[in-house]
Amino acid sequence: MKFQIEDVTVYFPYDNIYPEQYAYMVELKRALDAKGHCLLEMPTGTGKTIALLSLITSYALSKPSNPIKFIYCTRTVHEMEKTLSELKLLHNYQLQHLGPAAKILALGLSSRKNLCINPTVVSAENRDSVDAACRKLTASWVRELAAENPRIPTCSFFENYEKSASEAILPPGVYTLQDLRAYGKLKGWCPYFLARHMVQLANVVVYSYQYLLDPKVAGIISKEMQRESVVVFDEAHNIDNVCIEALSVSVRMQTLEGATRNINRMSQEIDRFKATDAGRLRAEYNRLVEGLALRGDLPASDAWLANPALPNDILKEAVPGNIRRAEHFLSVLRRLVQYIRGRLQTENVEKEGPVTFVASVNTQAGIDQKMLRFCYDRLHSLMLTLEISDTDEFLHIQTICDFATLVGTYTRGFSIIIEPFDERMPHIPDPVLQLCCHDASLAIKPVFERFQSVVITSGTLSPIDLYPRLLNFNPVVSRSFTMSLTRDCICPMVLTRGSDQLPVSTKYDLRSDPGVEKNYGKLLLEMVSVVPDGIVCFFVSYSYMDGIVNSWHETGLLKEIMQHKLVFIETQDVVETTLALDNYRKACDCGRGAVFFSVARGKVAEGIDFDRHYGRLVIMFGVPFQYTLSRILLARLEYLRDTFQIKEGDFLTFDALRQAAQCVGRVIRSKADYGMMIFADKRYSRHDKRSKLPGWILSHLRDAHLNLSTDMAAHIAREFLRKMAQPYDKTGVMGKKTLLSEADLEKMGNSNLGEMF
C-alpha cells in the first residue's frame, strides 16, 4: 500500500498497517524534519523494523535533491540478516511502483569471519585469528614480496579485487551477507574489502553497534560517513552498557605475560632490522619527528584498529621525543608492564581515579601522561614498520596500549579498580586491573554531534525519561506507543505467594529458603499441567538456577514436572545452549511440550524469540538485579548520582526491570500470537517497581492480577487459554480497528490519529 504522511509518499509493502505503525511513522517523520534525535518505544511484535525502513527510505526518495544516508545498527548478525531481508521485500515493492528511480544500494557489513570466502582463512577458529590470517595474505609488504617470489601465498580474491580497481563496485540492490559472499565468489573479488569500500557509497548500511560506538572500529569504518545521515539503534534498551564496554579495558596476569612475550618478539625484530634494513627504522623516526604518526593513506589491508580514544580527544601533535626511537618505546612499555604487574600483586581491593594513577605511574615508572596518550598510535606505527602480520599474537600488548591511551586521555568518568580475587571465589587468586568507564554519554557523544538524526528505539525503553539523562542528549521526540489489540492476547500476572500463602521472592534473605524454592517448584508444576506446548522460565543468575534445579531434583519435583513436559537448560556454553534450544523446539513441534530454563542476563534473554507455540507462558522467577556488591557497579552508581543526580535505587530498579521486560517480551512476536507472563516475586506488587515496566505490559496488568497465589494463577491461566482458543476477527471490532487499509488511512487523515490510542 502507499499513503501520504504530510509531504512524503510512504511505500509500505503490505496491504494493511497497524495503527501504531502509522503513529510511529508520523513521530519519526517529525524528528527527521526537525533534524533532531528521538526516542521511540514500540511494543514487540508490532512491525517496528518495517515501519522504520519504509518511512526512512520513502523520506529519502521524496527528497532526491538532498540525499540522506541511512545507517541501521543492530546488535547481532541474525538481526542484521532479518533487517536486510525486510528491506529486500520493501525495495522490490518500491521498484514495482517507481521503477528505476527507486534503485538504492543497501548492504550489511560484518567482520571478516562472516564475509571471507577464502577457505584457508575462514577456517580459523575465532575472529582475531581470521583477521590475522587475512593480514598474512593481504598486507602490502607480503604482496610486494609475493610479486618477486610467486611461492609466497597471497589471497586470489583480494588480488582480483585490487586489479579491478575502480571497476570493483556493487550494482544497485539489497545485499545480505550471504548475497555479498555469493557475489564475491561469482566475480572472484573479496566480499569483505568490497563491502568496506561500498559502505561509503551505499544509501543504506546495516551493521553492528560497535562500528559507530567503539572508537577503535568506528575510526576505520565510519569516519567518512556524511553528516546528512539518519542513524537508527534498534533494540537499544542496553545501549548505555554497549557505550561503557567500548571504553573499558581489563588487564590480568595473562595479559601481562603475553605483553612481555610481544615486547621480546618486537625487540628481536628491531635487532634484525638494524642488521638488515636500518633505513626503515630511521625513516619511521624521521616521520615521527615531522609529526606524522602514520605514513599517508594506508592501504585498507594494512589499516589496523584506530585509536581507542574518541576522535575529539586525540592530540593532533607529534609523538613525544622520548618514545620516537623504537627501542626507547619498548623500554617504556616494559616499565609500564612491570608497574602494572606490581600493582596487581596487592592483597586488598584498590580504587582510584585516572589522575592519581597517572601521577603514580610518573613517579614510579617515569612515564608521563603524554607518553601514555601516544602509546597506541606509537605501537601501531611500530607494528607497521616491523611488518608484523600475525596481529592475533599481539592482542596482549594492544590491550596494554589501549589501557595506557585511555588512562592518559580521560580524567573524568573513569575509575581504575584493582581486585586481587573474584569475591564469589575468594580462595582462588585471580588479580585483575580494570579501567571502567562510568559515563555512557562519552562514547555516543560523537554520534549525536556528527549525524543530523539519531533514532533510539526498542520494545523496552521505560521509563523513557531516564535515557536522555544517561546518554546526556535532548530528544526532539520522545514517545512510548501502546499495542492496539483485537483481543486481550497478553496476560501478565504478579505472583506474590505460594499455595501455602508464604511470600515468594529472590531477595537475598529469602532466596535460599526451602519454602520459597518449594513454592517456585509447585508453581511450575501447576503450570506445566495447565499450559500446552512451550514454557520459558527465567532465573536471576546461573548460580541461582543451578541451586534451585538441584533442590527440585532432590525433592522429586523435577521428576513430576518431567512427566508433563521435557526440561531443557541454558548453559554458559553456546553450542550446548543452541542444541538445547533446537531440541526444545522439536519437543514443542511434536506436541510433547517442553520447559526451557534460562537466565535473565544470559544469551537467550536477548536475541531468541519464543513466538507462537514455542512460548505460551514465560515465568520470571525473581527480579533480575545486577550483582550489587560488584565494585564496578558501585563506582558507576556513585558517578551517576554525583554527575546526573540519578539515585542508586532508581537506576538499579530501572536496570532490573528493563531486563525483566526484555525476558517476558520474548513470547509475543505478533498480534495473532498470545501468551502469559508471570512475575513471580512479591516485590513486583510494589508500585515503584511495577511502574517501570513498559506501558504495553502495564496496560494489560489488571488490579485483580497483582497479588496472586499459585492456585489463583493456575485458575486465571485456564480461563485465559480457554478464551484464546475461541475464533476472533483479526481486523478489529467495535470501531477500534487494529488493521488499517489504504482507504482507512485516507478517511482518518492525520487529525483523528489520536483517537486510535
Side-chain angles (χ1 to χ4, degrees):
M1 64 191 283
K2 75 181 205 199
F3 53 89
Q4 290 290 124
I5 294 183
E6 291 162 12
D7 56 338
V8 173
T9 307
V10 179
Y11 295 89
F12 190 74
Y14 300 104
D15 296 335
N16 296 76
I17 185 170
Y18 296 142
E20 56 268 48
Q21 282 179 312
Y22 183 71
Y24 187 85
M25 288 182 182
V26 171
E27 294 294 340
L28 190 52
K29 182 180 180 299
R30 273 180 53 204
L32 296 184
D33 286 341
K35 293 187 166 48
H37 312 312
C38 67
L39 270 171
L40 298 169
E41 180 182 59
M42 173 99 147
T44 48
T46 49
K48 177 173 71 246
T49 307
I50 194 64
L52 269 166
L53 296 172
S54 295
L55 183 92
I56 297 177
T57 52
S58 304
Y59 190 86
L61 288 170
S62 72
K63 304 201 177 348
S65 57
N66 186 12
I68 56 168
K69 195 183 190 88
F70 178 18
I71 303 169
Y72 193 101
C73 301
T74 63
R75 280 173 327 177
T76 60
V77 174
H78 173 66
E79 282 172 11
M80 184 193 300
E81 292 286 49
K82 226 160 58 176
T83 304
L84 284 162
S85 56
E86 288 261 25
L87 185 57
K88 212 176 232 182
L89 178 80
L90 170 65
H91 185 234
N92 291 339
Y93 181 78
Q94 287 173 341
L95 284 174
Q96 281 169 23
H97 279 269
L98 287 169
K103 279 190 175 172
I104 58 167
L105 174 60
L107 63 116
L109 178 64
S110 187
S111 62
R112 288 175 173 84
K113 179 99 178 112
N114 297 322
L115 280 174
C116 178
I117 50 175
N118 185 326
T120 54
V121 173
V122 83
S123 57
E125 68 259 24
N126 60 28
R127 200 179 65 204
D128 295 317
S129 312
V130 171
D131 289 353
C134 175
R135 284 177 76 89
K136 282 174 195 166
L137 299 178
T138 60
S140 54
W141 55 87
V142 174
R143 294 173 61 225
E144 279 164 22
L145 286 172
E148 294 160 18
N149 178 0
R151 281 208 304 274
I152 290 176
T154 56
C155 174
S156 59
F157 297 105
F158 183 73
E159 293 302 321
N160 292 341
Y161 165 73
E162 283 287 291
K163 278 192 196 111
S164 309
S166 58
E167 287 168 30
I169 53 170
L170 278 170
V174 179
Y175 296 86
T176 61
L177 301 183
Q178 180 65 46
D179 297 336
L180 283 170
R181 286 196 298 269
Y183 188 78
K185 280 178 185 162
L186 174 75
K187 290 283 195 178
W189 295 338
C190 167
Y192 172 75
F193 285 104
L194 177 63
R196 279 258 307 257
H197 171 59
M198 295 309 293
V199 157
Q200 313 302 342
L201 312 173
N203 309 82
V204 183
V205 180
V206 184
Y207 56 26
S208 153
Y209 280 21
Q210 269 67 24
Y211 286 43
L212 270 186
L213 294 178
D214 186 336
K216 296 195 286 297
V217 190
I220 311 176
I221 307 283
S222 308
K223 67 169 188 285
E224 302 294 319
M225 299 290 189
Q226 65 208 48
R227 175 166 166 70
E228 292 74 34
S229 297
V230 177
V231 177
V232 172
F233 289 106
D234 194 13
E235 297 296 333
H237 46 276
N238 279 342
I239 192 164
D240 53 319
N241 295 338
V242 179
C243 293
I244 276 171
E245 281 159 24
L247 292 174
S248 297
V249 184
S250 30
V251 178
R252 295 177 185 276
M253 275 299 184
Q254 298 90 302
T255 322
L256 296 177
E257 284 156 15
T260 307
R261 285 197 303 275
N262 297 159
I263 293 170
N264 293 338
R265 158 105 187 264
M266 286 196 284
S267 180
Q268 288 162 7
E269 292 287 319
I270 289 170
D271 293 343
R272 187 170 67 81
F273 271 111
K274 273 185 178 165
T276 58
D277 189 0
R280 180 184 290 280
L281 290 168
R282 205 171 307 113
E284 184 197 34
Y285 177 80
N286 294 335
R287 204 169 57 244
L288 294 172
V289 171
E290 286 160 22
L292 306 169
L294 300 170
R295 24 161 218 251
D297 283 340
L298 288 173
S301 55
D302 290 2
W304 206 32
L305 290 175
N307 195 304
L310 299 167
N312 297 348
D313 303 323
I314 299 169
L315 282 181
K316 306 284 190 292
E317 54 184 82
V319 172
N322 44 8
I323 56 171
R324 281 180 198 156
R325 281 200 186 282
E327 53 272 42
H328 292 176
F329 176 57
L330 286 192
S331 92
V332 165
L333 287 182
R334 274 210 173 90
R335 296 205 303 275
L336 180 62
V337 168
Q338 197 55 42
Y339 171 79
I340 296 174
R341 183 176 278 121
R343 292 297 301 263
L344 279 179
Q345 285 162 355
T346 175
E347 293 188 3
N348 307 315
V349 174
E350 294 176 17
K351 175 184 171 236
E352 58 190 51
V355 179
T356 325
F357 186 85
V358 169
S360 158
V361 175
N362 199 356
T363 51
Q364 294 183 38
I367 304 171
D368 65 20
Q369 184 179 3
K370 203 163 177 196
M371 286 152 79
L372 288 172
R373 282 184 87 156
F374 277 102
C375 269
Y376 197 87
D377 286 343
R378 183 66 190 89
L379 177 73
H380 185 180
S381 167
L382 183 61
M383 295 210 21
L384 285 173
T385 304
L386 299 179
E387 297 183 344
I388 289 171
S389 49
D390 49 348
T391 44
D392 56 337
E393 298 292 326
F394 283 79
L395 291 174
H396 299 295
I397 193 69
Q398 227 175 297
T399 305
I400 299 289
C401 289
D402 257 11
F403 170 78
T405 301
L406 287 170
V407 88
T409 306
Y410 295 104
T411 52
R412 285 188 68 254
F414 285 81
S415 295
I416 287 123
I417 296 174
I418 304 170
E419 295 182 286
F421 49 76
D422 187 331
E423 286 199 342
R424 285 165 275 196
M425 291 179 286
H427 48 284
I428 302 172
D430 177 24
V432 59
L433 179 145
Q434 298 173 80
L435 174 71
C436 319
C437 172
H438 305 315
D439 192 343
S441 64
L442 285 174
I444 204 167
K445 188 179 169 203
V447 180
F448 284 138
E449 285 176 354
R450 255 183 69 192
F451 300 113
Q452 70 179 33
S453 285
V454 177
V455 180
I456 292 178
T457 184
S458 173
T460 40
L461 287 178
S462 296
I464 205 161
D465 57 343
L466 200 56
Y467 282 88
R469 288 163 69 192
L470 277 174
L471 302 174
N472 199 13
F473 76 109
N474 293 319
V476 291
V477 175
S478 173
R479 173 93 194 265
S480 183
F481 298 90
T482 53
M483 206 171 186
S484 57
L485 294 171
T486 335
R487 53 179 187 165
D488 284 335
C489 60
I490 307 173
C491 178
M493 300 179 248
V494 174
L495 182 122
T496 56
R497 53 196 196 280
S499 307
D500 53 5
Q501 305 305 313
L502 279 176
V504 292
S505 176
T506 54
K507 271 176 84 168
Y508 204 70
D509 48 353
L510 281 179
R511 66 167 50 179
S512 47
D513 183 320
V516 172
E517 289 181 349
K518 190 182 85 181
N519 275 327
Y520 274 155
K522 285 276 170 57
L523 163 68
L524 185 56
L525 184 57
E526 280 280 344
M527 288 301 161
V528 290
S529 58
V530 173
V531 180
D533 301 320
I535 295 180
V536 190
C537 301
F538 286 101
F539 296 87
V540 289
S541 66
Y542 282 108
S543 56
Y544 184 64
M545 178 167 78
D546 291 348
I548 204 163
V549 170
N550 274 337
S551 127
W552 289 349
H553 176 65
E554 283 160 15
T555 53
L557 265 169
L558 201 58
K559 201 171 180 184
E560 288 180 61
I561 290 166
M562 288 181 75
Q563 282 171 354
H564 294 278
K565 291 185 191 299
L566 300 178
V567 173
F568 298 93
I569 299 182
E570 174 189 3
T571 64
Q572 295 184 11
D573 182 287
V574 179
V575 181
E576 271 181 23
T577 303
T578 312
L579 203 62
L581 269 168
D582 218 31
N583 288 327
Y584 167 81
R585 292 211 158 100
K586 276 184 196 153
C588 292
D589 288 339
C590 72
R592 173 71 171 88
V595 184
F596 194 82
F597 288 172
S598 178
V599 171
R601 291 178 186 276
K603 297 269 184 298
V604 174
E606 279 296 327
I608 309 292
D609 296 341
F610 293 98
D611 51 342
R612 309 189 320 280
H613 60 292
Y614 298 127
R616 285 298 177 216
L617 164 69
V618 61
I619 304 176
M620 181 75 238
F621 289 113
V623 185
F625 282 109
Q626 285 191 52
Y627 177 59
T628 44
L629 295 177
S630 149
R631 295 276 173 5
I632 298 172
L633 178 62
L634 292 171
R636 185 179 176 197
L637 291 173
E638 188 183 321
Y639 180 80
L640 289 176
R641 190 189 61 221
D642 297 345
T643 315
F644 299 123
Q645 288 73 52
I646 297 171
K647 293 185 188 131
E648 287 103 324
D650 284 356
F651 179 77
L652 285 170
T653 305
F654 148 78
D655 185 61
L657 284 162
R658 70 174 162 182
Q659 209 56 49
Q662 197 52 30
C663 295
V664 297
R666 303 281 103 208
V667 291
I668 298 286
R669 303 316 290 173
S670 80
K671 292 195 180 185
D673 205 354
Y674 62 89
M676 294 176 290
M677 310 164 175
I678 294 180
F679 295 95
D681 193 305
K682 63 175 188 179
R683 290 173 289 180
Y684 286 112
S685 64
R686 285 171 43 186
H687 183 264
D688 65 320
K689 297 273 187 289
R690 198 176 67 240
S691 60
K692 290 189 169 62
L693 285 170
W696 58 275
I697 295 180
L698 283 179
S699 59
H700 291 90
L701 184 57
R702 299 183 196 158
D703 288 348
H705 295 176
L706 279 181
N707 188 6
L708 302 177
S709 62
T710 304
D711 40 353
M712 291 154 77
H715 173 71
I716 291 167
R718 280 192 194 93
E719 290 297 311
F720 174 77
L721 290 164
R722 191 173 302 133
K723 201 166 84 184
M724 287 299 108
Q726 310 310 314
Y728 73 106
D729 175 14
K730 286 188 174 65
T731 56
V733 286
M734 302 177 303
K736 279 272 185 192
K737 285 207 134 189
T738 56
L739 276 175
L740 304 175
S741 62
E742 239 173 282
D744 290 332
L745 286 177
E746 278 170 32
K747 254 188 276 176
M748 204 172 70
N750 286 353
S751 54
N752 58 356
L753 177 70
E755 292 168 23
M756 298 304 302
F757 293 94

